[in-house]
Amino acid sequence: MTQRSTKTAFSPWEMVALESFQTPEQTQASQWRRSWRAATTWIVGREASERQAKEESELRKLSEVALSHWVPAIDWTPAARALSQVTEGYVDAPVVLFISPPHGGHEAVVSHWAQQQGVNCISAPTLNELTGGCLEWVERCGSQHQWVIPALERHFLRHTQGLQGVRELLERALSGRLGQGVIGCDSWTYAYLQHAVGLEGVPVVTLQALEGEQLAHYFAQLADDGGVRLTVYSSRTGQPILAGVSKDSAGGERSYKELQRLAAHCRGHLGIAWHYWRERLRESAGNGDSGRSQGPSQGQPKELWLLDALAEAELASDTGDVATLLLHTLLIHGGLEDQALGYVLPFSSHEALNARLALARQGILRCHQGRWQVAPLSYASVRQLLESRNYLVDPL
């Protein structure tokens, strides 16, 4: 594990150049376990693969009120401040890219940065503008000394006309004709545009991957509520995952090891880990109505359980070519609405819709703000499948 400074030892907001990004310890082992679990499910059946999760029947989901109390939404403003410090080192660069994986917060981070700096964000073109090769949104960048694009994936399509705008933007920006710009970009979009358009010489920064110890401290601080102590147990081992995290305690070390599995599974990405934490938290079914309450009693400890963090919707190893290509297409575009699928896939709209419906039923896809995207808890499985089939994957 890379040594971190005391200042950033537990901070989830360490901003680094892309080439300095490192996945957490045990990431390769986590991928091997995922492959083994998928093979076991295929060979011996679904029931055998779920035996360790049977105690789920003794637990129940928390209400939205309780979840918002124990696992509030990620505040990305500290990451925006970290981005501000980093961009100070690139004052001569016409463009700086900040990338993150799906659900990784790049749009929120860059939007917060723009607000802090008083810089206007460039609105995304419509689907008709993209398919028509419209360049008006590029012209809007040229009328400002500074400009910001929070989500570059909304500004292109993998389509002849749909790439014209982003090509023109990058050509003008890198020549210095558009002033200075900061761009937020999905890591899959970055990988594709680097291959299809070229991004040589553009500074690229990202958040450093988190280890299990950092996740433990982050989730403990997230749930801190005026002295109310939150203890979270693993439904897989029965051991505490979160319990008064202390660097010198054996319990703390155990929690780090358990959360190291989660960190490795998520490749160290806070956004993905947060979704696991929130969606897999449970309380004992015998807790009366506590899960429906407005919050815990002052000063009283609260005990929750985390279902096996790695047992979620996963792709079958025999996933067909249509579904695989659809998943890759959704990732490089940061999600798409159904209407756009016909422009970017080499098969009929009927085939695309059937594949999308099947993946949504399996829980592999979810709809967010009208766009279909890979669900957070399925992302690790999808990424591994695409990599195993030699698809272009992201650098994070």
Side-chain angles (χ1 to χ4, degrees):
M1 177 178 171
T2 303
Q3 295 295 316
R4 300 173 184 265
S5 68
T6 303
K7 181 179 179 181
T8 61
F10 301 128
S11 171
W13 314 120
E14 183 183 0
M15 198 74 65
V16 297
L18 176 59
E19 56 269 24
S20 298
F21 176 84
Q22 293 181 315
T23 54
E25 292 180 342
Q26 303 178 17
T27 297
Q28 293 302 316
S30 177
Q31 292 181 343
W32 181 88
R33 281 194 297 269
R34 209 153 47 239
S35 298
W36 173 253
R37 186 169 59 256
T40 302
T41 300
W42 182 74
I43 293 170
V44 303
R46 189 76 180 169
E47 182 179 354
S49 72
E50 290 183 343
R51 282 174 186 162
Q52 68 176 7
K54 283 190 179 295
E55 63 185 277
E56 181 174 347
S57 61
E58 304 171 13
L59 305 170
R60 69 180 181 194
K61 292 184 177 181
L62 278 72
S63 68
E64 285 300 316
V65 171
L67 282 173
S68 65
H69 184 91
W70 294 114
V71 196
I74 297 174
D75 177 8
W76 295 106
T77 53
R81 290 194 290 269
L83 178 61
S84 180
Q85 294 178 348
V86 167
T87 54
E88 290 176 359
Y90 295 109
V91 292
D92 296 326
V95 178
V96 176
L97 274 173
F98 170 66
I99 69 171
S100 76
H103 317 289
H106 61 272
E107 184 174 3
V109 171
V110 173
S111 295
H112 282 306
W113 180 89
Q115 186 176 16
Q116 292 170 6
Q117 303 294 320
V119 180
N120 291 329
C121 293
I122 304 301
S123 57
T126 65
L127 178 61
N128 287 337
E129 287 176 325
L130 284 174
T131 56
C134 176
L135 300 180
E136 285 186 14
W137 66 271
V138 181
E139 300 296 339
R140 292 195 291 270
C141 298
S143 63
Q144 306 175 56
H145 175 65
Q146 285 187 306
W147 50 273
V148 167
I149 293 178
L152 187 61
E153 61 271 20
R154 304 287 186 266
H155 294 254
F156 92 104
L157 283 177
R158 188 178 59 186
H159 174 270
T160 303
Q161 301 294 328
L163 280 169
Q164 286 189 5
V166 76
R167 280 199 175 104
E168 185 69 17
L169 169 74
L170 292 172
E171 180 183 336
R172 295 186 189 186
L174 295 179
S175 67
R177 287 183 283 159
L178 297 183
Q180 290 185 313
V182 172
I183 299 176
C185 185
D186 187 285
S187 55
W188 289 78
T189 300
Y190 168 77
Y192 173 73
L193 292 179
Q194 185 183 41
H195 175 76
V197 177
L199 294 170
E200 293 79 10
V202 179
V204 184
V205 298
T206 188
L207 288 172
Q208 184 60 282
L210 305 183
E211 301 288 345
E213 187 173 5
Q214 291 170 289
L215 282 182
H217 280 266
Y218 178 79
F219 289 136
Q221 290 177 355
L222 207 61
D224 187 15
D225 183 65
V228 177
R229 293 177 290 109
L230 177 65
T231 300
V232 179
Y233 296 94
S234 167
S235 68
R236 184 180 67 89
T237 66
Q239 296 295 320
I241 294 177
L242 204 65
V245 175
S246 170
K247 188 175 181 179
D248 300 323
S249 67
E253 291 180 3
R254 283 197 301 271
S255 73
Y256 302 154
K257 290 179 180 179
E258 191 67 22
L259 282 171
Q260 189 66 37
R261 295 179 72 244
L262 179 57
H265 182 76
C266 299
R267 300 179 65 84
H269 302 310
L270 177 61
I272 301 288
W274 179 88
H275 279 282
Y276 271 106
W277 190 253
R278 192 178 196 277
E279 295 183 32
R280 306 295 284 175
L281 271 184
R282 299 291 188 271
E283 67 174 354
S284 173
N287 278 0
D289 292 332
S290 61
R292 300 178 177 85
S293 65
Q294 297 298 310
S297 300
Q298 187 65 24
Q300 296 297 315
K302 177 69 174 179
E303 294 183 354
L304 299 177
W305 293 79
L306 187 72
L307 299 183
D308 184 3
L310 312 187
E312 237 329 296
E314 296 210 358
L315 280 168
S317 58
D318 60 347
T319 299
D321 292 339
V322 174
T324 304
L325 184 56
L326 172 60
L327 289 166
H328 189 253
T329 299
L330 291 177
L331 283 171
I332 66 173
H333 289 92
L336 287 170
E337 60 270 26
D338 282 334
Q339 184 183 358
L341 294 178
Y343 292 99
V344 295
L345 291 172
F347 35 80
S348 71
S349 298
H350 177 72
E351 288 178 296
L353 184 59
N354 280 345
R356 199 273 292 159
L357 288 170
L359 290 168
R361 283 194 299 269
Q362 297 171 47
I364 303 297
L365 301 181
R366 73 166 191 176
C367 188
H368 179 66
Q369 297 179 347
R371 299 169 69 94
W372 289 98
Q373 57 184 203
V374 175
L377 274 62
S378 300
Y379 173 69
S381 173
V382 171
R383 188 187 189 281
Q384 186 174 2
L385 177 73
L386 292 172
E387 188 173 28
S388 72
R389 296 189 179 182
N390 296 318
Y391 277 76
L392 177 70
V393 298
D394 78 322
L396 301 181

